[in-house]
Amino acid sequence: MEGFLYQATIYLAAAVIAVPFAARMGLGSVLGYLAAGIVIGPVLGLVGSETQDLQHFAEFGVVMMLFLIGLELEPKALWNMRDRLIGLGGLQITVTTLVLMIAALAAGETWQVGLAVGMAFSLSSTAIVLQTLSEKGLMQTSGGRSVFSVLLTQDIAVIPILAFLPLLAIAPPGVVLGLDGSIQRTNGEAAHDAGHTGLSLVEGLPGWAVTLVTIGAVGAVILAGVYLTRPVFRYIHAAHLREMYTALALVIVVGISFLMTLVGLSPALGAFLAGVVLANSEFRHELESDLEPFKGLLLGLFFITVGAGINFKAFLADPLDLIGLALLAIVIKGVVLFFVGRAFKLRGRDQWLFTLGLAQAGEFAFVLLAFSTQLNVLPQNLSEKLLLVVALTMLITPLLFIVHDILSKRLKETSPVQQADKIDDEGPVIIAGIGRFGQIVNRLVRASGFKTIVLDHDMETIQLMRRFGVKGFLGDPTRPELLKAAGLAKARVLVVALDDPASSTKLVTYARRERPDLHIIVRAHDRNHVFDLYQAGADDIVREMFDSSLRAGRYVLENIGLSEYEAAQAEQTFYAHDRHSVRELAKLWKPGVPASENAAYIQRTKELEKELESALLALAEQEKLRKSA
């Protein structure tokens, strides 16, 4: 018991210290976990041989992560990804394997060794990559979806790779290669060292029976998700115990993973399938909230064990060679990924995210290399060396994402370029941006009998508006030629309702320069954006959340004791004071200087807040006097 508590304290303390520090430095949590593992393992020696056993347990965090990702994907969405799963993912694995195999042959290895190494290194780290994509909010980008498609294909590919590896055995059956490639011990001794194989539903069955059992297990997961989930959740709900929901969520993931293991499938793949089946259920958010903490801690523990498991003695014996091999593997894999991504029309940020995000080897490489050694495909010394290379590539991965962040700042967002519409109409009002804000403005103006010219850069939004009978034109509203075609020279009012604050400011600046007499109404993101737009020349600036928040505040006042009249008076007083505050603070605002670092701005804000409190208190006193009179 003392040993367990000691290990738990060491691992948790290392995470608590290292991860926040890494996050504050902008390095991401994954690098923090890996660094924590290196410190408590190879550097300080606080943990020992239990690291490898703990890593197998921690790998369950990957299983939970794929289950949660599955919950975010409806079956229809997964079907829509089939081209990327088969084409993009399949091409990446195939080409990477062949290129790495050729590199191994050039280094003097046999084709069997080259093929085994190529297959192992063609797979990337699902745990590190998906965790980092989630942290950086990149999952929903085109590059992020492409990365996820490849990772999912790789997880599926592990199964046929494991089935194929026994065909590559170099040494005769019954022997294992030693450190120098010589015969060292019998297969029986190796089996004894490896321990028992555990339970299996397919062991000893002919091929056709294995196929039927496997299909049956997958079918059972799907049917259980469709027909048993609701009754079970209703049964649990009757107990009125919050912890039972957590227990049920764990049972679902653990049970499905165990079933997949029994039929020889990847537990992560089974968990993902279960998540997809449950994606349309009303219990999806409950499952997510119950499993998220477990997933985060187990993934963190997995990364720590990777760092703690690095054999620094072997690394220090030949560091330059190992680092060179790790960098070579990343470069070779990155080049393949770059051209595969280009073939599938990834460009700019998305292409670099795809290239750098998947350039490392992954956790499945540990499994495949160890299995290849057991099967006599790889000699022991080469396997140990490659395991270190895999760990090094995983350690380098957070740095590759930092490189991606640097490149992203220099590259524009890439999306399929749509040909702008030819604008054949003009009107007194031009509305740039037809999202939630622009739609309301457009409906009110049109319903009042005035003609509008609507511009938006999003094809789906324009098509949606056209279905409802609203004419709009596709194109970037910040482009001068598009504005001129829309009738900027004759328009009376320009409404800027773009989502991007920088684009809004750019459009207002251009429009004011071209038309000093034009009335410009613009949507502002926040108060700082208000100051930007004011300097750019906007006439009326509307903060996107201000009016709705003010109305919500009035409802609060009406329900805590004020009459509707009193609440309305307070709302009007606040509105008038806020407009006065914005004008006052605009004089003190400094472009490029955060408000928190502008002493004069902060001081004036405090003074204005006291003025507001005094005004509202005076209003309340007047109302009391009115009632008493």
Side-chain angles (χ1 to χ4, degrees):
M1 183 66 179
E2 291 82 2
F4 168 75
L5 293 176
Y6 168 76
Q7 296 296 333
T9 302
I10 293 298
Y11 279 100
L12 291 174
V16 169
I17 294 171
V19 175
F21 176 76
R24 287 173 66 88
M25 296 295 291
L27 302 176
S29 66
V30 173
L31 190 56
Y33 282 120
L34 291 171
I38 292 173
V39 171
I40 66 175
V43 176
L44 299 180
L46 299 177
V47 294
S49 58
E50 77 287 341
T51 299
Q52 190 171 2
D53 294 333
L54 194 59
Q55 186 171 3
H56 293 310
F57 171 73
E59 284 173 359
F60 201 71
V62 182
V63 175
M64 286 192 175
M65 178 173 61
L66 282 170
F67 177 76
L68 292 174
I69 290 172
L71 286 176
E72 299 291 336
L73 278 179
E74 297 182 6
K76 182 180 179 181
L78 187 61
W79 175 251
N80 291 336
M81 291 170 58
R82 63 189 183 278
D83 292 338
R84 290 184 179 271
L85 289 173
I86 298 172
L88 188 62
L91 185 62
Q92 181 272 321
I93 294 172
T94 303
V95 176
T96 304
T97 299
L98 292 176
V99 173
L100 289 172
M101 178 182 172
I102 293 171
L105 290 174
E109 299 293 344
T110 64
W111 70 267
Q112 293 96 331
V113 169
L115 184 55
V117 171
M119 288 189 292
F121 276 78
S122 69
L123 309 182
S124 305
S125 176
T126 302
I128 293 178
V129 176
L130 291 186
Q131 175 78 356
T132 308
L133 289 180
S134 298
E135 282 184 7
K136 295 180 178 292
L138 296 171
M139 279 294 292
Q140 297 307 315
T141 64
S142 178
R145 289 192 294 269
S146 298
V147 168
F148 173 73
S149 300
V150 171
L151 289 172
L152 183 56
T153 305
Q154 291 176 355
D155 285 342
I156 297 172
V158 171
I159 302 158
I161 291 175
L162 287 171
F164 179 74
L165 281 175
L167 303 177
L168 300 179
I170 300 173
V175 298
V176 175
L177 299 182
L179 294 176
D180 58 355
S182 60
I183 296 175
Q184 191 177 51
R185 54 193 174 127
T186 66
N187 200 32
E189 292 169 337
H192 176 74
D193 290 344
H196 62 82
T197 58
L199 298 174
S200 174
L201 294 178
V202 296
E203 187 176 356
L205 295 178
W208 63 268
V210 171
T211 302
L212 288 178
V213 172
T214 303
I215 294 174
V218 173
V221 170
I222 296 173
L223 291 174
V226 173
Y227 295 106
L228 292 183
T229 305
R230 288 180 177 82
V232 172
F233 263 93
R234 283 197 295 267
Y235 174 76
I236 292 297
H237 180 72
H240 298 291
L241 295 173
R242 182 70 183 83
E243 61 271 22
M244 286 297 100
Y245 287 102
T246 304
L248 177 59
L250 290 172
V251 165
I252 291 173
V253 178
V254 174
I256 290 172
S257 300
F258 179 60
L259 176 61
M260 293 298 103
T261 303
L262 290 180
V263 297
L265 293 179
S266 163
L269 179 61
F272 174 79
L273 176 63
V276 172
V277 172
L278 295 172
N280 286 324
S281 73
E282 61 269 35
F283 311 109
R284 163 185 160 187
H285 298 295
E286 183 71 32
L287 290 167
E288 286 178 342
S289 61
D290 289 334
L291 291 177
E292 189 66 36
F294 293 97
K295 184 265 293 185
L297 282 174
L298 287 173
L299 274 180
L301 182 60
F302 171 76
F303 298 138
I304 292 177
T305 58
V306 170
I310 293 177
N311 186 343
F312 258 57
K313 289 183 179 180
F315 172 73
L316 294 175
D318 196 3
L320 294 179
D321 184 36
L322 291 170
I323 293 175
L325 285 173
L327 293 176
L328 180 62
I330 289 174
V331 169
I332 291 175
K333 197 170 180 182
V335 170
V336 172
L337 287 163
F338 184 86
F339 285 105
V340 168
R342 199 164 190 83
F344 278 79
K345 299 182 180 179
L346 290 176
R347 297 291 185 273
R349 294 179 184 178
D350 294 324
Q351 185 175 16
W352 284 111
L353 176 61
F354 183 75
T355 300
L356 296 173
L358 294 170
Q360 78 294 124
E363 50 275 354
F364 280 121
F366 292 122
V367 177
L368 295 178
L369 292 173
F371 188 51
S372 297
T373 306
Q374 289 181 13
L375 294 170
N376 311 315
V377 177
L378 297 178
Q380 188 75 27
N381 63 331
L382 179 60
S383 177
E384 290 181 355
K385 193 173 185 179
L386 291 175
L387 288 173
L388 275 174
V389 172
V390 170
L392 287 173
T393 64
M394 295 173 74
L395 280 172
I396 294 171
T397 300
L399 302 180
L400 297 179
F401 275 101
I402 293 175
V403 173
H404 167 263
D405 292 340
I406 295 172
L407 290 173
S408 294
K409 294 176 182 177
R410 301 181 180 181
L411 297 171
K412 294 183 178 180
E413 190 75 43
T414 56
S415 56
V417 178
Q418 300 284 353
Q419 187 69 32
D421 289 337
K422 183 178 180 181
I423 302 177
D424 55 2
D425 203 358
E426 292 184 356
V429 180
I430 299 175
I431 298 179
I434 193 66
R436 292 173 297 175
F437 188 96
Q439 285 179 30
I440 300 298
V441 176
N442 186 53
R443 286 172 58 196
L444 175 60
V445 174
R446 286 169 57 87
S448 301
F450 296 95
K451 189 176 183 180
T452 62
I453 302 298
V454 174
L455 308 175
D456 199 287
H457 68 281
D458 186 18
M459 171 63 82
E460 292 184 4
T461 301
I462 291 294
Q463 290 177 339
L464 179 63
M465 291 298 100
R466 287 172 180 172
R467 289 183 183 178
F468 286 91
V470 178
K471 186 177 181 180
F473 297 97
L474 176 68
D476 182 359
T478 63
R479 288 172 53 195
E481 64 271 20
L482 195 71
L483 288 170
K484 290 177 180 177
L488 181 66
K490 299 179 181 179
R492 293 168 56 188
V493 179
L494 170 65
V495 179
V496 181
L498 303 176
D499 289 330
D500 181 40
S503 297
S504 297
T505 306
K506 176 182 176 182
L507 176 53
V508 171
T509 302
Y510 172 78
R512 176 57 67 218
R513 185 172 64 247
E514 293 293 313
R515 284 282 310 277
D517 61 324
L518 180 66
H519 194 91
I520 303 175
I521 304 167
V522 58
R523 161 195 178 186
H525 180 67
D526 53 23
R527 182 170 285 190
N528 287 336
H529 193 209
V530 169
F531 300 145
D532 274 333
L533 294 168
Y534 179 78
Q535 289 192 350
D539 293 294
D540 294 315
I541 305 170
V542 182
R543 276 177 281 166
E544 56 189 23
M545 301 298 292
F546 181 74
D547 291 321
S548 57
S549 300
L550 195 57
R551 190 165 71 250
R554 190 188 78 218
Y555 294 154
V556 172
L557 295 177
E558 290 175 0
N559 285 277
I560 58 172
L562 270 64
S563 66
E564 290 187 11
Y565 173 77
E566 291 170 333
Q569 286 290 100
E571 179 186 19
Q572 292 171 12
T573 301
F574 185 97
Y575 177 80
H577 182 272
D578 186 82
R579 291 178 65 86
H580 168 68
S581 297
V582 170
R583 287 192 293 269
E584 287 289 308
L585 293 173
K587 302 173 185 177
L588 301 172
W589 180 72
K590 298 178 181 178
V593 179
S596 59
E597 299 177 9
N598 188 332
Y601 185 96
I602 294 174
Q603 181 61 33
R604 185 59 180 142
T605 300
K606 291 179 179 178
E607 295 171 356
L608 290 167
E609 193 65 22
K610 290 180 180 179
E611 292 177 14
L612 173 63
E613 292 175 3
S614 299
L616 291 176
L617 288 174
L619 183 66
E621 288 297 325
Q622 291 176 8
E623 186 61 23
K624 287 181 181 179
L625 291 174
R626 187 184 67 82
K627 288 182 177 179
S628 61

